[in-house]
Amino acid sequence: MKIFNLIILLGMFSFILANEAALVKKLKGNAHIVREGKELAIGVGTKVLEKDKIITRASSSVGLIFKDNTRISVGSNSEFTVEEYMFNLSEKKEVFTTNLSKGSLECVTGLISKINPKAFQLKAKTATMGIRGTHFIVDVN
Amino acid sequence: MKRFIAVSGLTIMLIFSGCSSAKETNLGVSTIDTNGWLSTVAIETVPAPKVAPTPIVVPAPAVIKVDVISLPQADGKVGKVVVSDDDKTTMLDQAWQKVETKHLDKKEILSKEIVESKYRDLLEAMPEEPNNYRMYFKYDSTDIVGDSKILMQIVEDITSNPTLKVDVIGYTDRAGDDAYNKILSMKRAQKVVKLLESKGIDNKLIALDYYGEENPIVPTEDGVANEQNRRVEVTIK
């Protein structure tokens, strides 16, 4: 019975805890994260979780480094969402789905793209458009 | 609570899909009428309009312009960038090459200077590639091969830079079975974490992980020992 309760408890934890995806390594100007409908201030060292949306204002930018060493810089007046992120090599679970709905970004892909290229998906503006690669810029006008 | 939100979210989606099917019906798509379950949902959740409304004018979608530009890697090589839009796909394989969506057949090569001046903010915000160190291990062991020079280099790097995080990831070669190797890779990573702590590195900075036989430096058949794959990688972010 105790074990059964524990399993339920663990299940709830895994349900509540969002995957940590990235760290804010660089920051310029004015940017914030929208997490579960709330606005959070960004600083260098801030953790970015799965489902977070990063919003930058004019003359602002954010540099991110992901758990799998993918690096992304988000330019000014941009909206960038980490839709899904999972990196666990021993469980062979890799998912990297992001969406640039506004603005620009530069991306240098890391281990997920190297080990499982199909797991990497960057959408730009519309769900029908996808980009894969090693080093590129995307600009949504 | 979360579950409740999820359920109500689903209901909203159903209502929404009901609405859109009604709209499509108004626009004269007759197949929706014969779509049994969709119209059932619509009737249950949204009262059917009593008077047939006038056809809804759907505004033309705003023209979306997306540029994709491929850049060379740090080593000067150019990796492929694949861009797909609807069912069309194109590939960029040259440095500073640009393609615009909606015109996937139109590619052009820009100059390095143009890209660097237009996207200066992006290039400046891009974090440096994190320094990565490899420590190698004796066969089936947590004994490190070689001297402690690399450990001192790692400690120096962590302390002399504004380090946010230190990933310590253990790996093995493919001699021995999977489950055993997973534990061996964990022990190797733990060994390195202890060494870093003994040199005064704050445990809160360190993230330990272990992936056993995965992600080898030298891919081999199963059962093969390889000294380059028996390692711990320390990545300083």
Side-chain angles (χ1 to χ4, degrees), chain B residues 94-162:
Chain B
Q94 293 176 64
W96 320 109
Q97 192 175 18
K98 184 184 102 167
V99 69
E100 187 191 309
T101 47
K102 306 295 171 199
H103 301 284
L104 286 186
D105 47 340
K106 270 194 202 166
K107 294 183 220 173
E108 60 175 309
I109 309 275
L110 304 173
S111 74
K112 180 174 184 272
E113 290 70 30
I114 282 178
V115 176
E116 284 182 345
S117 73
K118 185 169 181 193
Y119 297 104
R120 189 175 303 276
D121 62 332
L122 286 179
L123 302 172
E124 282 175 1
M126 175 59 74
E128 303 285 312
E129 185 175 2
N131 285 338
N132 191 63
Y133 297 88
R134 288 180 187 147
M135 300 172 87
Y136 299 98
F137 288 78
K138 290 178 184 163
Y139 179 76
D140 191 18
S141 163
T142 57
D143 290 343
I144 295 164
V145 174
D147 55 27
S148 58
K149 213 189 273 174
I150 189 161
L151 182 70
M152 296 319 293
Q153 266 181 292
I154 293 170
V155 171
E156 166 73 18
D157 191 335
I158 294 169
T159 51
S160 62
N161 291 303

Side-chain angles (χ1 to χ4, degrees), chain B residues 58-71:
Chain B
V58 179
V63 178
I64 302 154
K65 190 170 160 284
V66 180
D67 289 343
V68 180
I69 304 163
S70 65
L71 277 71

Side-chain angles (χ1 to χ4, degrees), chain A residues 19-24 46-49 64-67 82 85:
Chain A
N19 282 321
E20 186 184 326
L23 282 170
V24 174
T46 298
K47 287 175 186 169
V48 177
L49 310 181
L64 305 171
I65 184 155
F66 285 75
K67 198 183 165 198
V82 180
Y85 189 88

Side-chain angles (χ1 to χ4, degrees), chain B residues 43 90 163 197:
Chain B
I43 288 159
T90 193
T163 302
E197 285 172 349

Side-chain angles (χ1 to χ4, degrees), chain A residues 31-102:
Chain A
H32 64 271
I33 288 176
V34 176
R35 181 177 300 162
E36 290 171 352
K38 287 180 192 143
E39 280 193 17
L40 302 171
I42 287 182
V44 169
T46 298
K47 287 175 186 169
V48 177
L49 310 181
E50 196 180 52
K51 309 250 182 277
D52 280 359
K53 179 186 256 191
I54 292 170
I55 298 176
T56 60
R57 304 289 184 218
S59 318
S60 304
S61 61
V62 175
L64 305 171
I65 184 155
F66 285 75
K67 198 183 165 198
D68 73 305
N69 300 340
T70 296
R71 288 172 289 144
I72 288 179
S73 60
V74 181
S76 55
N77 295 314
S78 301
E79 290 188 19
F80 172 71
T81 309
V82 180
E83 292 184 351
E84 283 181 279
Y85 189 88
M86 210 182 281
F87 178 60
N88 191 328
L89 287 181
S90 43
E91 288 175 34
K92 296 197 193 293
K93 274 186 189 160
E94 295 98 34
V95 187
F96 195 127
T97 312
T98 53
N99 192 337
L100 181 70
S101 45
K102 194 181 153 199

